[in-house]
Amino acid sequence: MTAAEQEESALLAEMRRIKKLYCGVEAVLTADDAVYYEAGIREMKKLDAVLSLHQVISLYLDAKSSLSVRSRAEYGTYLRRILRLNPNIGKEMLAEICPDAWEDVLQNTYPTPAGRNKGRRIVHGLYEYAIAKKWASHNPVRRVSVEKAPQRELCVLSPEQIQTLLQWLVRPKYMSIAPAVGFMLWDGLRPCDIVRARWEDLNRDLLPPALERWLDRLPQQRHGSIAPANWTQQWRNLRQAARLLPWKNDTLRHTYAVYHLKRYNNPNLLTQRFKHMSSQQIRQRFGHYKGISPEDVQGFWKGTLF
């Protein structure tokens, strides 16, 4: 077979593959379609042969330099883990990696559905960036299904556990993190939010009364970061000392949501803190929690638990 015949055969095979991928097996290509596909395939070949996955990841992370340090580190962690656990994938040309290959890579890289979904989302963004830069012609990750992740267990502190937590926080050893924990408990902030929060950015008039009473009990520090520099370690040490282990992620956030919904019965208010959830999802997630009396809820928001 001559070189021209080999190229023609390769083009035909590629046309069949694309037809099956985008048009379905039963679709019939006309002569005009064939000319269009051939021209498009030639352009795709030029694009797809430019950069490897490893090269595009490096360029993509450089383009994310304007993000916060935490967000950029998260992108880097997810993408570099793909390269580390799938050594051969980084050498492949970006658009030559098919959807099935990405399914295998995500399964091999991330052990949980939530991790795979987040990995898929980040790789999807990588391809969209590459297409905008004309380094690739299509995004195979579009054909990778999003998994339905099992819902995490709802973790809510009882009034007794809240009292224990607050009693430990007023001890001199842990008082430096008491304001930060107060904001997580009564204002629904996440740990990643609290490390960025500063006193100067707060509107004291909008704080819940229980949080105001809690802050008034503590040494007056109203400038700079709310969380101290050693926040993460201190917070871990306190939970261990107070015997609040094992501790689940988002326990204080879940506690805030349940007590808030039982007090105000308005899921729309909670969407300000849970932006990824609709008011209906919030009600379904937090509205059916039992084991907390109306008196407990009242004490939580009035600040009589401490």
Side-chain angles (χ1 to χ4, degrees):
M1 185 181 291
T2 65
E5 289 173 334
Q6 289 178 341
E7 182 179 5
E8 182 179 359
S9 177
L11 284 171
L12 287 171
E14 185 70 2
M15 286 165 58
R16 293 191 191 99
R17 185 186 71 82
I18 293 175
K19 185 193 79 166
K20 180 179 178 181
L21 188 63
Y22 294 103
C23 307
V25 178
E26 303 300 328
V28 177
L29 293 179
T30 66
D32 289 340
D33 290 331
V35 172
Y36 172 79
Y37 271 99
E38 181 178 350
I41 290 168
R42 291 184 188 278
E43 289 303 311
M44 286 171 61
K45 291 295 186 183
K46 292 178 185 177
L47 287 172
D48 297 349
V50 175
L51 295 172
S52 68
L53 173 63
H54 189 283
Q55 291 172 312
V56 175
I57 285 176
S58 296
L59 293 166
Y60 186 54
L61 292 178
D62 288 342
K64 294 291 182 183
S65 58
S66 60
L67 294 178
S68 67
V69 173
R70 181 180 179 275
S71 295
R72 190 170 183 274
E74 188 174 51
Y75 274 83
T77 298
Y78 270 79
L79 292 172
R80 292 190 184 103
R81 187 173 183 181
I82 288 175
L83 298 177
R84 187 174 70 253
L85 298 182
N86 307 271
N88 296 326
I89 199 77
K91 302 172 186 177
E92 296 190 26
M93 295 300 105
L94 183 70
E96 291 182 1
I97 308 173
C98 66
D100 288 345
W102 275 117
E103 290 267 15
D104 293 340
V105 166
L106 293 173
Q107 287 286 338
N108 185 54
T109 306
Y110 309 109
T112 65
R116 290 190 288 273
N117 285 340
K118 188 158 189 176
R120 178 197 177 278
R121 188 164 63 249
I122 290 175
V123 175
H124 179 278
L126 173 81
Y127 269 97
E128 293 301 305
Y129 176 77
I131 290 171
K133 289 291 186 179
K134 301 189 182 302
W135 297 333
S137 56
H138 66 289
N139 185 347
V141 182
R142 289 180 179 274
R143 295 181 60 81
V144 176
S145 300
V146 177
E147 295 186 50
K148 185 175 181 180
Q151 199 168 54
R152 285 186 297 174
E153 178 186 358
L154 197 61
C155 301
V156 178
L157 294 182
S158 67
E160 294 75 21
Q161 289 174 313
I162 293 173
Q163 287 179 327
T164 297
L165 175 66
L166 299 179
Q167 288 166 3
W168 276 87
L169 282 168
V170 294
R171 297 187 180 194
K173 183 176 181 180
Y174 298 111
M175 198 171 288
S176 64
I177 67 170
V181 176
F183 276 96
M184 292 196 295
L185 183 61
W186 285 294
D187 207 30
L189 294 188
R190 298 170 298 178
C192 62
D193 298 324
I194 203 67
V195 296
R196 297 192 296 264
R198 299 181 62 82
W199 288 106
E200 291 84 355
D201 299 331
L202 296 177
N203 186 340
R204 292 294 297 267
D205 296 330
L206 299 179
L207 297 182
L211 179 55
E212 279 281 12
R213 289 190 61 186
W214 176 247
L215 295 177
D216 288 342
R217 287 194 58 181
L218 306 175
Q220 295 297 306
Q221 177 190 348
R222 297 293 183 266
H223 59 85
S225 298
I226 293 176
N230 61 345
W231 149 254
T232 302
Q233 186 61 49
Q234 283 284 83
W235 178 219
R236 185 182 299 115
N237 291 345
L238 180 142
R239 299 196 307 263
Q240 184 173 4
R243 297 185 179 180
L244 292 171
L245 299 178
W247 185 270
K248 302 291 186 180
N249 289 338
D250 291 331
T251 292
L252 291 189
R253 193 165 165 82
H254 290 171
T255 300
Y256 163 80
V258 167
Y259 279 83
H260 191 287
L261 199 56
K262 288 188 177 295
R263 170 65 178 85
Y264 299 103
N265 195 29
N266 188 343
N268 290 321
L269 290 175
L270 282 176
T271 59
Q272 299 173 21
R273 282 284 178 251
F274 295 81
K275 297 181 186 300
H276 63 291
M277 299 175 71
S278 67
S279 58
Q280 181 180 1
Q281 290 172 322
I282 285 173
R283 190 177 292 281
Q284 291 173 345
R285 177 72 166 138
F286 303 112
H288 303 293
Y289 189 86
K290 298 181 180 179
I292 299 174
S293 70
E295 292 75 22
D296 294 334
V297 174
Q298 187 177 32
F300 178 85
W301 289 108
K302 285 188 175 182
T304 58
L305 293 182
F306 55 86

